[in-house]
Amino acid sequence: MTRRGEGPWPWLAAGSVALALLLLVALLTLLAGRGLAHFWPAEVVLVELDDGSRFAAHPGREERSAEGVERLYHTGNREWLGTPWRWVEAARIVDQQQPAELVVVERRRWGDFIGRVAGLEEAGETLAFEGDAARWAALNDRLEYLSQLREEREALRQAEIMPRVRQLAATQAPDRRARLEAELAAANAEVLALQERMARDRVLLESVAGERLALPLEDVLAIQRPNAMGLPAKLGAWGTRVWRFLSEGPRAANTAGGVWPAIFGTVLMVLLMSMLVAPFGVLAAIYLNEIAHQGRLTRLVRISVRNLAGVPSIVYGVFGLGVFVYGIGGSLDEWFFSDQLPSPTFGTGGLLWASLTLALLTLPVVIVATEEGLARIPDHQREGALALGATRLETLRRVVVPMALPAMLTGMILAVARAAGEVAPLMLVGVAKLAPQVPVDAEFPFLHLERKFMHLGYHIFDVGFHSGDVEAALPLVYATALLLVLVILLLNLTAIFLRHHLKARHGALPR
């Protein structure tokens, strides 16, 4: 309820807040609707045209033109059709059915296959089954077995092969190299044995047009019958596909697969950036507000810091490339990694330089927010502590800094929100299109700051603008954008809860 004389301003303010919330809800709804719907097992229709031809596909969007209504279908079967998408005039469609036997095969290469399962081979011999149900059960059993073999092969590569490959690259001693080569040969032999077992089975597929394909089960990621699945089965399949999106790495030029390396790289980079920017930003703000003489020079420094917050982010990327990567990184390579030159170790983009660049980018935000919090602390708090015999250092450590902690965390929240969404500077100092190996592993020093990494923001840019299949990439853009928003929200909520705890413990400052 507004007071007399206030006019329409409270209503305008409330309307602005409501409009902002409405736009935020609309954004999240768009991202969630377009992104999460991509993982739902959509029905497959068997389309018959007026010329008698037939094809099986997922129905898509419609567009109106001067010639009439056209409908987009995802047909898959790229090896025969050349493209997995097909526009069809609605007037040409004679009949549409949803046969239960149609399958969608998700493959490692060539995208999806849509058609029927014609048989199953084991070691080159076609197996006989009593009915389609028995054949379908045997196929699913073999897919589960293959999944176990893939996990064993990946574990061997990560735990045995890759560490020894890196040790061989860094070792010059002949006896140690001979031992590592022998161990590497034994591990490769185990991998080859697993691959021979994985290549034993093949599934015989047939398109609705009659083309036949013998596909090794090793290349199959999943087989589904969407038209025969009930709601519980579709929910389970949807959850499985979402989990794979979150836990696997990308494939097919980033137009398929998951984004786990990008999630890990984004969170790790933001955490490193926060650990780097927090002490420098807080100490700089304390010096400017509590220690430095408040004169013309101090005011000039404050103006410079505030102006730095408006510098375009790509400028920081150029600075990071010239100073951190080529300057400091090149010097580190000459001093400590000269035996590996001309192949650079730290003289190229990596996780450390990206974190330092973003720390420099967000430093003005932390300084300004912290200094504002320090300026709001009443002078009688400092004077009371000094009157009770505390030194200036004790006053800062026990009175001023605890009361300003919520403002410091506000600065960190703003810094995290900006750093997590930045893309332009990362393109110059360390982000990669594809880096399936995360920068953390069981090999010393465990955290490899020199490695390149993936980032959700850059992944969105790459999938959205450099994909050869725009229609397939668009849902992944929405899903990855939603995931980036959720990651930033989770990081910010952690800082907000911590700030609320500190406010309750030390008391809120007067407004």
Side-chain angles (χ1 to χ4, degrees):
M1 185 173 181
T2 61
R3 297 178 181 177
R4 181 176 297 177
E6 290 181 346
W9 302 112
W11 294 103
L12 289 175
S16 300
V17 173
L19 180 60
L21 292 177
L22 182 62
L23 292 175
L24 178 60
V25 171
L27 172 65
L28 294 178
T29 303
L30 173 66
L31 296 179
R34 296 287 185 90
L36 297 180
H38 169 69
F39 305 105
W40 185 259
E43 288 79 6
V44 179
V45 296
L46 179 60
V47 182
E48 182 178 353
L49 302 180
D50 53 3
D51 59 358
S53 62
R54 300 191 305 169
F55 64 92
H58 294 297
R61 56 189 172 89
E62 293 184 352
E63 287 190 0
R64 294 184 178 274
S65 62
E67 291 75 14
V69 179
E70 292 187 346
R71 187 174 301 160
L72 179 65
Y73 289 93
H74 179 225
T75 58
N77 303 357
R78 187 193 295 266
E79 58 265 53
W80 295 309
L81 302 177
T83 174
W85 302 92
R86 180 176 180 179
W87 285 99
V88 177
E89 296 179 8
R92 294 189 58 199
I93 299 176
V94 176
D95 185 29
Q96 290 191 109
Q97 302 177 8
Q98 295 183 358
E101 71 272 9
L102 290 180
V103 299
V104 178
V105 182
E106 186 178 355
R107 301 179 289 181
R108 292 187 177 275
R109 292 175 290 272
W110 293 96
D112 292 345
F113 172 89
I114 300 178
R116 300 183 179 91
V117 175
L120 190 62
E121 289 185 354
E122 180 178 329
E125 296 184 1
T126 303
L127 302 179
F129 299 97
E130 296 181 358
D132 184 67
R135 182 174 58 191
W136 185 253
L139 179 59
N140 287 324
D141 291 340
R142 280 167 168 75
L143 287 176
E144 292 181 3
Y145 177 66
L146 273 173
S147 179
Q148 297 175 2
L149 294 180
R150 286 194 192 100
E151 292 178 0
E152 293 180 18
R153 182 181 63 180
E154 187 63 23
L156 275 173
R157 286 176 174 174
Q158 296 298 327
E160 302 292 338
I161 295 179
M162 295 306 299
R164 285 172 173 79
V165 169
R166 288 191 290 266
Q167 291 171 10
L168 273 173
T171 301
Q172 300 296 332
D175 53 345
R176 179 170 172 77
R177 288 186 62 87
R179 180 173 59 84
L180 288 174
E181 289 174 354
E183 294 174 353
L184 184 60
N188 283 328
E190 294 184 35
V191 170
L192 289 176
L194 286 174
Q195 290 178 343
E196 290 179 0
R197 293 161 62 186
M198 294 170 64
R200 182 191 61 179
D201 300 330
R202 296 195 303 175
V203 59
L204 303 179
L205 303 173
E206 183 180 7
S207 70
V208 296
E211 297 97 346
R212 297 181 68 89
L213 173 67
L215 181 66
L217 281 183
E218 180 186 1
D219 294 336
V220 176
L221 296 175
I223 296 182
Q224 294 178 346
R225 286 179 169 176
N227 298 341
M229 297 169 66
L231 181 59
K234 287 190 175 183
L235 285 174
W238 178 84
T240 300
R241 295 181 68 178
V242 170
W243 171 249
R244 286 174 52 197
F245 177 72
L246 298 176
S247 60
E248 294 181 355
R251 53 184 174 82
N254 288 349
T255 59
V259 292
W260 164 244
I263 298 173
F264 191 90
T266 302
V267 174
L268 182 59
M269 183 205 65
V270 170
L271 292 178
L272 288 175
M273 180 276 304
S274 301
M275 290 188 293
L276 291 169
V277 74
F280 289 102
V282 170
L283 289 176
I286 290 175
Y287 177 80
L288 289 175
N289 196 80
E290 303 292 329
I291 300 174
H293 174 69
Q294 303 302 313
R296 182 177 300 176
L297 180 60
T298 305
R299 290 194 297 270
L300 182 61
V301 170
R302 285 196 180 95
I303 293 173
S304 301
V305 169
R306 285 163 172 78
N307 287 334
L308 284 175
V311 174
S313 59
I314 191 65
V315 176
Y316 286 96
V318 173
F319 178 85
L321 179 65
V323 176
F324 294 145
V325 178
Y326 293 151
I328 300 177
S331 300
L332 289 176
D333 284 348
E334 293 178 0
W335 296 340
F336 302 105
F337 304 98
S338 57
D339 55 336
Q340 299 184 22
L341 291 175
S343 178
T345 301
F346 282 95
T348 184
L351 179 62
L352 176 61
W353 308 134
S355 301
L356 278 172
T357 301
L358 291 186
L360 187 64
L361 172 68
T362 56
L363 184 62
V365 178
V366 178
I367 293 176
V368 171
T370 303
E371 194 175 3
E372 290 293 333
L374 292 171
R376 288 173 52 198
I377 299 176
D379 288 337
H380 63 76
Q381 295 283 354
R382 302 176 178 84
E383 294 168 356
L386 294 173
L388 290 173
T391 63
R392 291 197 62 182
L393 179 60
E394 291 173 336
T395 302
L396 281 174
R397 184 166 57 90
R398 297 187 177 183
V399 177
V400 176
V401 172
M403 295 184 69
L405 278 177
M408 298 176 189
L409 287 174
T410 299
M412 290 306 304
I413 292 170
L414 297 174
V416 166
R418 183 175 184 187
E422 284 292 346
V423 175
L426 298 181
M427 296 169 64
L428 301 176
V429 293
V431 75
K433 173 186 174 68
L434 182 62
Q437 187 176 7
V438 297
V440 177
D441 54 30
E443 185 180 356
F444 183 83
F446 312 120
L447 176 60
H448 303 277
L449 298 176
E450 77 283 0
R451 290 183 186 173
K452 294 185 179 295
F453 65 100
M454 295 186 68
H455 186 270
L456 286 172
Y458 182 76
H459 188 73
I460 294 171
F461 167 76
D462 180 71
V463 172
F465 293 95
H466 297 123
S467 173
D469 190 347
V470 177
E471 295 291 342
L474 190 58
L476 294 179
V477 170
Y478 285 111
T480 309
L482 175 64
L483 185 59
L484 178 58
V485 172
L486 294 179
V487 168
I488 297 174
L489 180 63
L490 180 61
L491 293 171
N492 285 345
L493 283 178
T494 303
I496 289 171
F497 287 139
L498 182 57
R499 182 180 63 182
H500 178 73
H501 171 73
L502 293 174
K503 278 187 176 181
R505 180 177 179 181
H506 298 289
L509 293 173
R511 293 184 177 271

